[in-house]
Amino acid sequence: LALVFHTLMEFLLAGNYAHYVLMLSTLMLLMGAAFLGKRIGKRRQAQDQPVDDELKIVLGAILSLFGLLVGFTFSFAINGYQARIQAEENEAIAICNAFQRISVLEDKYQPRAEEMLNQYLALRVHFFETTDETDRAETRIAAIQLQTHMWKLISQLAKQNPNAVMVSALTASNELYTAQQKTMSSWQRQVPGA
């Protein structure tokens, strides 16, 4: 058992699995405490029966509280996951809206804006597909830089030709930024490893 535990700990510590190490250590500590409590309880069992009844009441209360703790933890994790999915869905809707609004730009500016938006979409898809945190951070920075370039392009066009179409394109660019920030916020408030 000690060899298996040692091998498992080496595996977990080799990667970025600190939360698994914490969970496993806590589980082992709880199992050790339960084993120790059972051994001490067997020694005292022969001595005094009323103490054993009191211990059963305390144990029942502790297990009930532990059950509530686990239930609330799962509830928070599920709510966080649903918020993350909703934020990602809202970002996808914002990207679709940006494609629609850019399609009404003048013909000479539309291809450049669509190319930038396609690059942005590719970066965001890559962000969600990658599991490497360094790559994810670099992708996020590249997407923000591309958003800045899109904003500059559309704001220059809006200054040259202020009309409702430009306002719509500016709004779409702003919604992209807002949706990405909300998605990033939901990713930062998640259960580790989820």
Side-chain angles (χ1 to χ4, degrees), residues 57-194:
I57 292 171
V58 171
L59 179 63
I62 289 173
L63 289 175
S64 298
L65 290 174
F66 182 69
L68 285 171
L69 177 68
V70 168
F72 281 120
T73 302
F74 280 133
S75 174
F76 291 142
I78 289 170
N79 287 339
Y81 178 74
Q82 289 174 343
R84 184 172 118 188
I85 294 299
Q86 184 65 42
E88 292 171 10
E89 183 180 321
N90 289 341
E91 185 175 1
I93 291 169
I95 292 171
C96 289
N97 287 340
F99 272 111
Q100 290 175 342
R101 292 175 182 170
I102 284 177
S103 68
V104 297
L105 289 176
E106 294 179 27
D107 291 338
K108 59 183 177 180
Y109 301 115
Q110 187 177 353
R112 184 170 175 213
E114 283 183 359
E115 178 187 343
M116 292 173 85
L117 198 52
N118 280 323
Q119 290 174 358
Y120 177 78
L121 178 59
L123 285 170
R124 293 308 292 159
V125 168
H126 180 71
F127 173 84
F128 292 114
E129 288 178 345
T130 188
T131 57
D132 181 29
E133 290 300 321
T134 305
D135 189 27
R136 188 173 280 151
E138 291 171 358
T139 303
R140 179 174 179 249
I141 290 170
I144 289 172
Q145 290 171 346
L146 194 55
Q147 279 180 346
T148 303
H149 293 306
M150 283 190 291
W151 178 261
K152 286 178 182 177
L153 171 70
I154 294 173
S155 63
Q156 287 173 357
L157 295 175
K159 287 177 185 176
Q160 294 171 1
N161 188 15
N163 58 32
V165 172
M166 288 299 154
V167 170
S168 176
L170 281 171
T171 302
S173 181
N174 186 43
E175 287 175 358
L176 280 178
Y177 178 76
T178 304
Q180 182 189 9
Q181 293 306 314
K182 287 182 179 179
T183 300
M184 294 313 303
S185 174
S186 70
W187 271 65
Q188 291 170 352
R189 292 179 284 129
Q190 70 174 351
V191 174

Side-chain angles (χ1 to χ4, degrees), residues 24-41:
L24 190 60
S25 299
T26 304
L27 181 64
M28 296 300 279
L29 181 67
L30 288 174
M31 287 174 46
F35 179 73
L36 184 63
K38 185 172 181 171
R39 288 187 61 95
I40 292 172

